[in-house]
Amino acid sequence: MMAKTGVFDGGPAARAAELKRELQRLVMTIVDREDEGDDDVSSVGTIDRAMETMCVLKELKKCKGGGGGGGGSLKVTFACPEEFRCPISKELMRDPVIVATGQTYDRPFIQRWLKEGHRTCPQTQQVLSHTLLVPNLLVREMISQWCKTRGIQLPDPVQYSNEDGLTEADREYFLSLLNKMSSTLSDQKEAAKELRCLTKRIPSFRQLFGESLYAIPQLLTPLSQPQTESDNCDTHPDLQEDVITTLLNLSIHDNNKKFVAETTMVIPLLMDALRSGTIETRSNAAAALFTLSALDSNKALIGKSGALKPLIELLEEGHPLAMKDVASAIFNLCIIHENRARAVRDGAVRAILEKILNGVHIDELLAILAILSSNPKAVEEMGEFGGVPCLLGIIRDSTCARNKENGIAILHTICFSDRNTWKAMREEENKFQTISQLAKNGTSRAKRKASGILERLNRAVNLTHTA
């Protein structure tokens, strides 16, 4: 297979003349060695070089009339050693880099592979323990020397635009910031603020954290070190806020969600941040748990870690800045069944009903209550904590069809689980026809649930009369 090479300096005619002279010299060398009976490896190498030169000359002749005049540049193809080709592109590597499995690829092509979401080595299919790309200086030097002896100009790797838009200087700066996270307090503060800004403004910097197993642990160094009474996060809340917010920025990147959550220190430190620091820190910690919980595997991991309890405690506090992020995180986590039992055990039902009664974030909290209503203990607590009159009031007074639908869906579950609530439902129906109105005018799901409640209530009345 032929691969594209770099760009030759000078016009095609001058280059052709140079190639002819080189070919003539190589042929004479071959003939002289044959006459002397020399058939060693160096003679074979000379023959290979002569064949390569002929290939280049042939391609040059083909392209001579096609825009190569006037001293312009001309791209040609040639046969190069297989070990110099990128396994992905099959072309001569300009910037060879080594991945975690030890295989070498041309940087732009392996970057594209990783950017597409692959976490395996294209050649071995092994899962990559990290996505750090290490320059293969030895192979690059071998390619450079090989090109030099053949008059081929190999462009500098910096001239190639990376798929992620980052230069080597960007990567070096990134690594220097991470190193500062293990330095003095002033360096840590400076680096944390800069990493927060970079990961917010430039998506490619979020991706960089996935290129090394050690990047996130380095970021978290100031928060994970043993603290003394005189040197803790309460003393330096701005440092904690910048680090936690950087974690939030990282978790937005889809390819980061799994390994961020699975980094040992991340979830415990997010839980600590939910309880301490500035309200921005606590809110951003909740937001990070929300974005990480987009993956079902992360939902289970976060739930098992005990993160629902501090989330519910923050919900109970009711700070306006944190409420939406906290509610979103709890809702996402409760999508999987096992986390619903954990949320109920940690006091979610009482906390949510109190906020709804106070008119706080009714839409989001009612959605959580609806998903929790599949848990028998949650239904029992809704009856105990005044959930029925609260829900009937929402259905009666709200103008939001979604809230009415969630409210009646929860009442439907309560109705079929706790007959002690039927009296309140009948009184509401007799006084306001709340459920009947929804059975006529609600969404299709709301109509079904409302009709089911009415049927159940009417059947109970008929049974009483019969008895």
Side-chain angles (χ1 to χ4, degrees), residues 226-382:
Q227 305 290 336
T228 65
E229 288 187 12
S230 61
D231 182 28
N232 55 39
C233 291
D234 293 333
T235 311
H236 310 293
D238 51 342
L239 175 59
Q240 184 193 30
E241 182 181 324
D242 287 336
V243 171
I244 293 299
T245 305
T246 301
L247 272 183
L248 168 60
N249 295 341
L250 297 183
S251 67
I252 294 170
H253 195 286
D254 286 341
N255 289 347
N256 287 350
K257 294 185 190 300
K258 184 174 176 62
F259 83 84
V260 168
E262 292 178 356
T263 299
T264 307
M265 296 177 287
V266 167
I267 296 176
L269 287 175
L270 287 174
M271 290 169 60
D272 288 344
L274 288 172
R275 297 186 173 102
S276 65
T278 66
I279 190 59
E280 288 83 4
T281 298
R282 304 173 75 191
S283 177
N284 288 343
L289 289 172
F290 165 64
T291 56
L292 291 173
S293 64
L295 298 182
D296 284 348
S297 60
N298 286 353
K299 289 181 179 71
L301 184 65
I302 295 168
K304 287 178 183 176
S305 72
L308 276 160
K309 187 169 182 60
L311 281 168
I312 292 166
E313 290 171 352
L314 186 52
L315 177 73
E316 287 180 302
E317 289 185 31
H319 196 290
L321 188 62
M323 284 295 290
K324 193 172 183 67
D325 289 323
V326 171
S328 298
I330 294 173
F331 178 85
N332 245 17
L333 291 170
C334 289
I335 287 174
I336 62 172
H337 184 74
E338 55 265 35
N339 281 343
R340 297 172 199 170
R342 294 184 178 111
V344 174
R345 180 196 64 207
D346 291 333
V349 174
R350 182 195 292 271
I352 290 170
L353 282 173
E354 285 179 355
K355 297 306 171 191
I356 290 176
L357 283 168
N358 291 327
V360 177
H361 286 281
I362 293 175
D363 297 12
E364 294 87 350
L365 297 179
L366 202 57
I368 300 173
L369 212 57
I371 204 168
L372 291 179
S373 65
S374 65
N375 181 277
K377 179 64 176 173
V379 174
E380 180 184 328
E381 290 187 359
M382 288 178 205

Side-chain angles (χ1 to χ4, degrees), residues 451-463:
S451 298
I453 292 173
L454 291 172
E455 184 180 340
R456 184 62 178 255
L457 295 178
N458 291 334
R459 189 186 305 161
V461 170
N462 291 336
L463 286 173

Side-chain angles (χ1 to χ4, degrees), residues 188-239:
Q188 289 176 343
K189 287 185 173 184
E190 178 189 344
K193 189 171 291 295
E194 180 69 358
L195 286 167
R196 174 181 179 171
C197 292
L198 289 172
T199 52
K200 178 182 179 180
R201 293 187 291 105
I202 308 173
S204 300
F205 270 90
R206 301 172 203 155
Q207 182 181 333
L208 278 179
F209 276 87
E211 295 186 0
S212 170
L213 284 173
Y214 310 107
I216 292 180
Q218 282 182 281
L219 169 70
L220 300 178
T221 299
L223 307 187
S224 58
Q225 290 173 334
Q227 305 290 336
T228 65
E229 288 187 12
S230 61
D231 182 28
N232 55 39
C233 291
D234 293 333
T235 311
H236 310 293
D238 51 342
L239 175 59

Side-chain angles (χ1 to χ4, degrees), residues 162-179:
N162 291 326
E163 287 291 319
D164 56 15
L166 295 176
T167 65
E168 285 305 311
D170 291 328
R171 284 180 162 78
E172 289 175 7
Y173 182 52
F174 169 72
L175 293 174
S176 72
L177 291 174
L178 288 181
N179 288 332

